[in-house]
Amino acid sequence: MIRCIAWLVAVFATVVCEAQQVGPQDRSCLSSFAVGYSKCTNQVQQAELSTNALAPKTAPESVEVPREKSVIAAKPSKQGVSEAEVDAYLQNYGKPTRESARAMLDPTDENIAAMARSIRQQTATASYVAGRMTALQQVDPGLVAINPSFASEDLPYLSGMRIVLHTATGCSECDKAVVMLQRLVAESPILDARVVVHGVSDGKALLLELARVGITLPATAATPAQGRFAKYVPVALAADTRYGKEAVMNEFRNTQELRTSLANIRKSAMEEKK
């Protein structure tokens, strides 16, 4: 009985020791405070840490994100736009930009971002031009948007026609006549129109009058020889430079009537030449 108990104790001790042996089978790894070879556990971990610390560290490969070159809108130069720049613009007008073509051929994020910036710049420029056009139209009635729907048979007869409108300072009817004439020129740019201002003494006074009325047509101060028209203002002298016929006009109700009157002068001169 005693032998059986001793044998069971020996077997149990062997199993416990084998379960707690975590280090190498070396007596130097025995712990003085724990059962088994647990003393070498920390030594193995420290050895592994030391080995890793001495091994050369390999940094992960950094992926370089390509940066787009900043596109800065070119500021207008003091000299303005050169003719070469205008020619280059007209040559590429209506064509996709280089950024758009590159994005379509190679749709990378870099190329698509460049295309987006190009479109944004074009949109901003067009918006600025449209805003300035609206502001200028409020100042200059001659820049009012043209209605493209009208089709006048009188337009071909305006080539070579000249009209000189005589106005005077402090004449409200003259101001209306100037507005009407400028609208006609905006609709029919082929017409040669000019303004003569009576009652201005010098160039400075002329400029002030042009600014007050908003005259953008070629304008001059009246000469002594033109003084005879002063009491009839607003009045216009229409001349057919091709057939040498002249006529006086003093009705400025609307652009269509004014255009028809000028065309009739040309038609009358053509009939006289037959």
Side-chain angles (χ1 to χ4, degrees), residues 128-140:
Y128 171 77
V129 172
R132 291 301 304 153
M133 184 181 298
T134 301
L136 292 175
Q137 286 174 351
Q138 295 175 353
V139 177
D140 181 8

Side-chain angles (χ1 to χ4, degrees), residues 130-154:
R132 291 301 304 153
M133 184 181 298
T134 301
L136 292 175
Q137 286 174 351
Q138 295 175 353
V139 177
D140 181 8
L143 296 178
V144 174
I146 303 170
N147 182 7
S149 62
F150 81 91
S152 175
E153 298 179 353
D154 302 324

